[in-house]
Amino acid sequence: MALFGALLVFAIIHHAAETSWRAQIDDRISDAQTDLLGDIARNHKGLAWNVQATLAEGGGLFYAVMTPDGEILAGNFRLSPAMAAHWTGERTMKRAQGLTLPPHVLALRGRMLNFPDGERLFIAADASALLTLNNLIARSFLAVFGTILALGLVISLLVGRMTLRRVDQFASTLHEIMAGDLSRRIEHRKRPDEFDRLAIEVNRTLERIHELMENLRQVTNDISHDLRTPLARLREHLELARAGFEDERFREMFDTAITELDQALAIFSALLRLAEIEAGARRAQFRTLDLTGILQALVESYEPAMADRGIKLTAEIEAGLALRGDKDLLNQAIANLLDNILVHPESATKSTLRASHRNGKIHLSISDNGEGIPASQRDRVMQRFVRLDAARHKSGHGLGLPMVNAIITLHGGAMSLQSGDKGGLVVGIVFLENL
């Protein structure tokens, strides 16, 4: 807007100044034309004679009388026939366009008159001041325009950097909150601007979300803790009662009940562990880990079990991979993914674990050539207690992948489920930053 305003102001100034100068020159030429035509009417002498007489009197104007074939009969400046052909009405002509003028004259402004005998009269005045005015206004405009542009760029840069710094503060705080630290809040000043008012409202929203999450987590923990104890006691009673029966039918019934109780206890343990991971409490125990060694040990551990199921497990692990994290949690996450290959894909015959460092990130993938997971179900299986219908007859409680995702998120990573080039499932993990 400032540039547009400056352009509009200079356009108005230029138009007003140039119009005023042109009007003065045109009025002077009109007066000279009237006087010359009056002289011709009184003395009945030719045009060239009267022009020479006028020039002898002085006055500072420029005259030229030209014949139809372009010959100059009288006057104090010369112009080419081509220029004369294009000089119609009031015009401003520069020396560079073909005028022969004294050294101090840069341009002329005047008019051309046709006479009945074919002669043409050119009357003009020195328009150097008009040309100088135009150049002065143009230079002034460029100077002011350049100053406004420079100031605008500097101010825009400063405002942009301040805005970007505030946005970075927002993003950094929100990133920490997404990583699990729900106690973080966006800083704001006592005299708030728009960003501060936004920060206050976001903080209120975060506070409410934090309260709801804490309430939900507390309810989950309370239920898990409160139910684990009676279930554990019930299991002990069933074990003791089982020993008192000799009939195998009753003993099988007790075994089934104990198995179901073990499943329930496993679910409660998984929920407690998942709540602990999502709360970020384990981050305090992070240290630099040899990720290459952890992965190689897991591959060696699972190779025999995979082979018994007819699955060939191969590894492509880059040497020297390191990551800050919790060794037990990372072991559990990768082990859960390998266990899924052992339990779920009926038709799998091979599996590959790959890990490498690219573009400042650690990329890890575990793939198999089994039946895979339909694209429409991939987001769903990342939710708690969700199991595909085809897997309902198998052991499990639908907390494996959510547990893995929580562990990866805790370590600053992201997990995705994709189809392989030849079918099957590829679990991709990217550790986005080294916490």
Side-chain angles (χ1 to χ4, degrees):
M1 289 299 295
L3 295 178
F4 177 77
L7 180 62
L8 180 61
V9 169
F10 271 94
I12 294 173
I13 293 174
H14 177 270
H15 177 74
E18 188 174 30
T19 300
S20 176
W21 277 85
R22 285 179 178 176
Q24 294 181 30
I25 294 174
D26 292 344
D27 289 344
R28 187 180 176 192
I29 291 172
S30 294
D31 292 342
Q33 174 185 326
T34 301
D35 292 343
L36 181 60
L37 294 178
D39 291 342
I40 294 173
R42 284 193 302 271
N43 58 35
H44 301 290
K45 297 204 181 275
L47 176 60
W49 188 92
N50 279 281
V51 166
Q52 287 297 115
T54 301
L55 288 174
E57 296 174 359
L61 294 179
F62 291 85
Y63 298 84
V65 179
M66 180 177 287
T67 63
D69 58 2
E71 179 184 356
I72 299 295
L73 298 178
N76 56 350
F77 79 101
R78 301 185 67 84
L79 69 166
S80 65
M83 174 176 283
H86 291 88
W87 193 330
T88 58
E90 283 80 12
R91 293 198 62 179
T92 302
M93 309 294 284
K94 299 178 182 178
R95 177 198 298 274
Q97 294 176 284
L99 292 175
T100 302
L101 300 170
H104 66 281
V105 181
L106 302 177
L108 294 179
R109 176 171 178 79
R111 65 182 59 169
M112 185 271 293
L113 298 174
N114 288 308
F115 283 78
D117 58 359
E119 290 183 341
R120 288 174 289 177
L121 170 64
F122 298 91
I123 307 176
D126 186 355
S128 300
L130 181 60
L131 188 62
T132 302
L133 175 66
N134 288 337
N135 293 335
L136 177 61
I137 292 177
R139 286 196 300 270
S140 300
F141 172 75
L142 291 176
V144 174
F145 178 83
T147 302
I148 294 175
L149 181 61
L151 289 175
L153 290 175
V154 171
I155 293 173
S156 299
L157 180 61
L158 293 176
V159 172
R161 294 183 68 176
M162 291 175 60
T163 303
L164 184 60
R165 185 160 54 246
R166 299 295 299 277
V167 172
D168 287 341
Q169 291 175 354
F170 271 60
S172 176
T173 303
L174 292 176
H175 182 77
E176 293 179 19
I177 293 171
M178 291 176 61
D181 187 2
L182 297 180
S183 64
R184 290 283 289 116
R185 295 294 179 267
I186 300 172
E187 297 181 0
H188 58 84
R189 296 172 295 189
K190 294 182 179 179
R191 303 179 65 180
D193 58 10
E194 289 79 3
F195 279 102
D196 295 308
R197 288 195 292 272
L198 177 61
I200 292 172
E201 293 303 319
V202 171
N203 286 343
R204 289 175 179 171
T205 303
L206 292 173
E207 191 67 35
R208 182 58 178 159
I209 292 174
H210 189 199
E211 291 176 2
L212 295 174
M213 292 293 294
E214 285 298 320
N215 291 339
L216 180 61
R217 185 178 292 116
Q218 189 61 42
V219 169
T220 303
N221 291 346
D222 290 344
I223 292 175
S224 299
H225 280 296
D226 293 343
L227 289 180
R228 282 178 68 188
T229 300
L231 287 176
R233 289 175 181 172
L234 177 59
R235 191 184 189 285
E236 292 177 3
H237 291 316
L238 289 174
E239 288 278 5
L240 294 174
R242 180 183 182 280
F245 289 87
E246 298 294 336
D247 193 329
E248 284 298 324
R249 291 177 300 172
F250 289 107
R251 297 175 73 91
E252 288 178 1
M253 292 172 60
F254 279 108
D255 289 340
T256 301
I258 290 172
T259 300
E260 294 295 332
L261 279 175
D262 288 340
Q263 180 76 358
L265 288 170
I267 291 175
F268 289 132
S269 297
L271 285 172
L272 288 172
R273 190 167 178 80
L274 188 56
E276 179 189 20
I277 293 170
E278 291 179 341
R282 297 290 290 267
R283 189 178 286 113
Q285 305 174 22
F286 277 15
R287 58 188 178 85
T288 302
L289 303 174
D290 177 14
L291 185 60
T292 297
I294 292 174
L295 297 176
Q296 288 175 342
L298 284 167
V299 170
E300 292 174 2
S301 175
Y302 274 83
E303 273 182 332
M306 292 277 192
D308 290 342
R309 287 289 311 276
I311 302 173
K312 181 180 179 181
L313 176 62
T314 58
E316 300 174 9
I317 304 172
E318 184 178 312
L321 296 178
L323 180 73
R324 282 189 59 80
D326 185 299
K327 183 177 180 180
D328 293 338
L329 291 180
L330 286 174
N331 265 309
Q332 179 182 352
I334 306 304
N336 280 3
L337 295 175
L338 293 173
D339 283 335
N340 284 344
I341 297 175
L342 283 172
V343 174
H344 295 296
E346 302 279 358
S347 58
T349 58
K350 62 181 180 179
S351 176
T352 304
L353 189 152
R354 296 183 176 88
S356 61
H357 187 275
R358 301 194 306 272
N359 302 322
K361 303 173 184 177
I362 295 177
H363 296 257
L364 190 152
S365 67
I366 299 176
S367 61
D368 65 73
N369 64 342
E371 64 270 20
I373 298 176
S376 60
Q377 298 291 327
R378 289 173 192 162
D379 290 336
R380 185 168 169 264
V381 297
M382 300 295 286
Q383 302 172 9
R384 298 182 185 187
F385 300 110
V386 172
R387 301 173 63 196
L388 298 182
D389 292 338
R392 286 292 176 183
H393 64 283
K394 300 176 183 177
S395 62
H397 39 67
L399 292 174
L401 286 178
M403 181 80 72
V404 174
N405 190 45
I407 293 172
I408 298 304
T409 301
L410 181 68
H411 287 77
M415 186 175 79
S416 63
L417 305 178
Q418 300 174 351
S419 297
D421 295 336
K422 298 181 179 179
L425 180 69
V426 179
V427 179
I429 299 172
V430 179
F431 292 102
L432 302 178
E433 61 181 20
N434 199 2
L435 299 178

